[in-house]
Amino acid sequence: MIERSLSPPTRDLGDGFLVRRALPSDGCRSIGPFVFFDHFGPTSFAAGRGLDVRPHPHIGLATVTYLFEGEIVHRDSLGNAQVISPGAVNWMVAGAGIVHSERTAADTRRAPSSLTGIQSWVALPLETEECAPSFVHHAAKSLPVIENAGRRIRLIAGALFGERSPVATLSPMGYADADLDAGAQLAFPAEYVECALYLVEGAIDLAGQRIEAPRLLVLRAGEPVRLRAATRARVMLLAGEPLGPRHVWWNFVSSSHERIEAAKSAWRAGRFEAVPGDEEEFIPLPRERPPHEASPGADESEAL
């Protein structure tokens, strides 16, 4: 039932801010519409320090930010300013283009703080790749929670287990956070063409194997799985219908290579809108490496 088992490489984005990038990887480019999956932290910041992801652009995707610990202030070129806390969802549709920043609030920096969470990118269907950008925040209390038998499952986006999240997705998908007590069991139905588990913390027993975090498990199509938490464990459930090949370069996702080239030119020339309240800094376009140096996805980015 496990098609691939992948260990996400860890990157230090500076100041000890660690990111484990599960998607894209050499072993798996996407899961349904999910084309990017970063597990960041746990990171501890000393007083006076914090997260500073400067303004940067996106096209052709929706970003999904979900925290386990800490908080982030999101600002974007539409004028939105929103604090996200654990259990809530920031859903930002880039479409034809948006710029945003992610930082630790000034008040939070007055004392030591910590941050842990997930940011994923969902590719947009062809008919909405160039839609108008938008941003919606969903408080934790607005999301369905299934709680029984040592399981607490929060539905982040889409539909799973007979429940539907209020997050307005643009393609069929399911995305959930499962917090499991030791010994708890979880059946993950084969509701979608492509499914995966990302083990955030702890250990699980699955298909006769003991698997420890962090790990991305790509599941065989059409096969439901049942897992058991060998210890207290946290598992992200990803599922959806594939949208077809996508080009991913830096913070840009598109079905068209030419569209990505146009976005690169626009950012280089300063033609994207600025972020109100965060106009002083930006992340420059990364240096393009020669083909023999380039890694799959060319995802050299400071962005979460």
Side-chain angles (χ1 to χ4, degrees):
M1 64 184 66
I2 301 174
E3 185 173 291
R4 279 163 290 182
S5 177
L6 306 170
S7 178
T10 301
R11 301 182 181 196
D12 188 335
L13 298 187
D15 293 328
F17 188 75
L18 302 179
V19 170
R20 297 168 185 85
R21 183 153 297 170
L23 293 175
S25 70
D26 290 340
C28 184
R29 304 302 298 166
S30 62
I31 300 293
F34 292 89
V35 294
F36 181 97
F37 192 94
D38 262 6
H39 170 201
F40 53 89
T43 298
S44 296
F45 297 111
R49 308 301 293 269
L51 178 70
D52 280 304
V53 179
R54 297 166 290 160
H56 56 279
H58 290 286
I59 66 165
L61 57 85
T63 65
V64 192
T65 305
Y66 183 79
L67 301 182
F68 306 131
E69 177 185 26
E71 65 175 29
I72 295 174
V73 178
H74 161 98
R75 287 187 173 87
D76 63 44
S77 52
L78 300 178
N80 296 297
Q82 175 67 54
V83 177
I84 182 172
S85 302
V89 171
N90 275 2
W91 177 268
M92 184 183 76
V93 176
I98 198 169
V99 180
H100 75 141
S101 64
E102 295 151 303
R103 299 185 187 267
T104 299
D107 287 349
T108 303
R109 294 174 193 255
R110 294 174 181 168
S113 63
S114 56
L115 185 65
T116 312
I118 302 286
Q119 188 173 86
S120 53
W121 296 354
V122 176
L124 301 182
L126 295 178
E127 62 272 18
T128 57
E129 277 191 310
E130 296 297 322
C131 68
S134 62
F135 173 83
V136 181
H137 173 80
H138 295 270
K141 64 182 180 181
S142 72
L143 302 176
V145 176
I146 304 165
E147 188 167 2
N148 56 41
R151 302 172 298 212
R152 290 159 297 281
I153 305 170
R154 175 173 279 113
L155 188 56
I156 298 171
L160 279 173
F161 305 112
E163 297 283 351
R164 179 171 292 277
S165 166
V167 177
T169 63
L170 298 176
S171 65
M173 60 176 284
Y175 185 29
D177 166 23
D179 183 15
L180 308 174
D181 292 339
Q185 298 188 41
L186 176 65
F188 189 16
E191 298 181 42
Y192 297 90
V193 172
E194 296 183 352
C195 300
L197 308 172
Y198 180 78
L199 183 57
V200 177
E201 60 183 24
I204 60 172
D205 295 323
L206 175 61
Q209 303 178 50
R210 182 185 173 100
I211 301 165
E212 298 186 352
R215 204 79 184 171
L216 177 69
L217 305 174
V218 182
L219 307 178
R220 289 179 187 157
E223 292 191 21
V225 301
R226 180 178 292 276
L227 62 88
R228 175 184 175 276
T231 67
R232 177 74 179 266
R234 183 163 229 148
V235 184
M236 306 301 288
L237 312 175
L238 297 77
E241 307 302 312
L243 298 179
R246 289 295 187 273
H247 299 278
V248 180
W249 191 91
W250 192 41
N251 302 314
F252 304 137
V253 174
S254 179
S255 60
S256 164
H257 174 72
E258 291 74 20
R259 179 66 180 93
I260 287 185
E261 290 300 313
K264 289 159 63 174
S265 296
W267 184 245
R268 189 184 294 115
R271 294 197 298 270
F272 278 82
E273 296 292 330
V275 176
D278 201 345
E279 301 98 336
E280 301 301 317
E281 297 182 299
F282 67 93
I283 300 177
L285 203 71
R287 178 179 69 89
E288 295 191 59
R289 294 189 284 179
H292 67 279
E293 294 183 7
S295 59
D299 52 354
E300 294 299 320
S301 172
E302 291 184 57
L304 290 178

